[in-house]
Amino acid sequence: MSNEMTLFGKPSNSALALLSGIEDSLTNTLAGGGSGGGNKRISIEGGAFREFVGGKEVRVSEERSMKIILINAAPVSRMFFEGTYVKGSKTKPTCWSSDTQTPDKAVPEEQRQAKFCKDCKQHIKGSGQGDTRACRFQQRIAVALDGELRKEAVYQITLPSTSVFGDAEGKKMPLQAYGRHLKAYNTPAISIVTEMRFDIDSATPKLVFSPVRALEEDELAVAVKLQSHPDTTKAITMNVSQMDGVIPAPKLFEPAPAPAPKAEAKAAPKAAKVEVEEVEEPIKVTKRAAPAVEEKSELSDIVGDWDD
């Protein structure tokens, strides 16, 4: 990693010393490269930030944005749940993949939908609701809350594909576009405060990201320490046998029953229509020239670019 951060100007020597001891795989992962459930998590269900501790909802924010410090991130993964989703239910997925290429070894043989994800019928558009795919992309990130960093509390956030993939639209940057933005400025994601905000133009909950400020040196020391904390590891590790709030009761995702032979099947009640925004899996990323760093070396200039 280079010894300079350019998004918010050059850091002090002590800040450089802190960052020199880590490999900046976090920013690379956010940008879509590399490979890679905590007790606390933040959900964006219903278009609101919902804080859960031990599987119980303890706080709901009415704000449209939240300031966080990105501590670590898992690579993009995918999950398939068989049947129709029942709101509020929690159950293990039928099939899942940590690398989006092949089902994990922990997936029971009889539940595997295909040998390779690219050949899977659940990967075809239209296999899910509307024109979506039944097997959905997602990414888990571990974050700390701005203003609460010294509490050393790490939260897990699972982002849907719409919050991960896609190009920047003005000030709206999905996670991978945001990661590429930070790389262009040679700025480690862990060294700054990030704002995540709901995109009000999206039909489904979708977050966009933007930089706010550089961390103070004492804050940076805590953030770097948290990157190797056990809670951070748990937050970004896919372990469906220990999913927060999962209960073993069957049929939370109920597949449609097969009709009895030679008998008229009764019409099943229609499920409520759910609008789902589909995002294509990125195949290629067009590299853009890095912004002119010397013109944006001051914090006031960088933050000013993001003010409405």
Side-chain angles (χ1 to χ4, degrees):
M1 185 179 66
S2 171
N3 285 334
E4 289 191 15
M5 293 188 299
T6 57
L7 183 59
F8 293 104
K10 187 175 181 179
S12 65
N13 290 334
S14 53
L16 287 173
L18 284 169
L19 291 169
S20 65
I22 66 171
E23 178 183 354
D24 191 24
S25 57
L26 168 59
T27 309
N28 289 332
T29 300
L30 298 181
S35 61
N39 186 47
K40 297 182 176 66
R41 64 184 178 91
I42 295 172
S43 168
I44 61 172
E45 183 179 3
F49 295 113
R50 303 174 183 275
E51 182 180 334
F52 288 79
V53 177
K56 296 182 179 180
E57 185 176 294
V58 296
R59 181 168 57 179
V60 179
S61 173
E62 296 182 358
E63 301 295 328
R64 302 299 300 167
S65 65
M66 178 177 285
K67 292 182 175 63
I68 59 170
I69 296 89
L70 290 157
I71 303 298
N72 216 330
V76 175
S77 60
R78 61 192 311 167
M79 285 188 179
F80 165 66
F81 291 88
E82 188 173 10
T84 303
Y85 174 64
V86 180
K87 185 176 181 179
S89 64
K90 297 179 177 68
T91 190
K92 298 178 184 178
T94 303
C95 188
W96 62 93
S97 172
S98 298
D99 62 6
T100 74
Q101 304 301 311
T102 58
D104 283 9
K105 293 181 179 179
V107 180
E109 186 66 33
E110 66 275 11
Q111 293 180 196
R112 299 188 180 196
Q113 303 296 297
K115 184 176 181 180
F116 298 102
C117 295
K118 65 182 179 64
D119 301 325
C120 182
K121 63 182 179 180
Q122 312 300 349
H123 177 63
I124 301 173
K125 293 185 74 172
S127 57
Q129 294 179 342
D131 198 33
T132 68
R133 295 181 176 90
C135 189
R136 308 307 301 270
F137 292 97
Q138 61 176 28
Q139 187 167 17
R140 298 176 308 284
I141 60 176
V143 308
L145 302 183
D146 184 30
E148 299 183 15
L149 185 58
R150 292 174 182 83
K151 294 180 180 180
E152 299 189 7
V154 177
Y155 292 83
Q156 178 194 70
I157 303 177
T158 301
L159 299 174
S161 60
T162 50
S163 299
V164 177
F165 303 137
D167 295 326
E169 299 179 5
K171 300 176 183 179
K172 297 179 180 180
M173 289 189 289
L175 189 65
Q176 286 194 357
Y178 181 56
R180 295 192 293 270
H181 177 74
L182 297 181
K183 287 188 69 175
Y185 280 101
N186 199 26
T187 300
I190 198 172
S191 68
I192 63 175
V193 174
T194 293
E195 180 188 72
M196 55 183 186
R197 175 179 293 274
F198 283 104
D199 182 357
I200 60 175
D201 295 325
S202 175
T204 57
K206 172 185 176 182
L207 296 179
V208 290
F209 301 83
S210 61
V212 177
R213 64 173 177 87
L215 291 179
E216 301 293 337
E217 289 182 21
D218 59 332
E219 294 177 312
L220 182 58
V222 176
V224 170
K225 175 184 175 183
L226 286 177
Q227 195 165 58
S228 58
H229 194 281
D231 287 348
T232 301
T233 302
K234 288 167 60 179
I236 65 173
T237 301
M238 180 185 290
N239 188 343
V240 296
S241 65
Q242 296 177 0
M243 288 177 63
D244 188 24
V246 165
I247 56 177
K251 297 186 179 180
L252 288 175
F253 285 76
E254 298 186 1
K262 298 182 181 181
E264 183 178 354
K266 295 183 179 180
K270 294 183 179 180
K273 184 178 179 181
V274 178
E275 294 185 2
V276 181
E277 184 175 353
E278 176 69 5
V279 173
E280 292 286 352
E281 177 184 5
I283 302 301
K284 295 181 180 179
V285 175
T286 303
K287 294 185 178 179
R288 297 180 174 85
V293 171
E294 62 275 11
E295 296 180 3
K296 295 184 179 294
S297 60
E298 295 297 329
L299 172 60
S300 58
D301 293 337
I302 297 300
V303 177
D305 287 347
W306 294 92
D307 289 339
D308 291 327

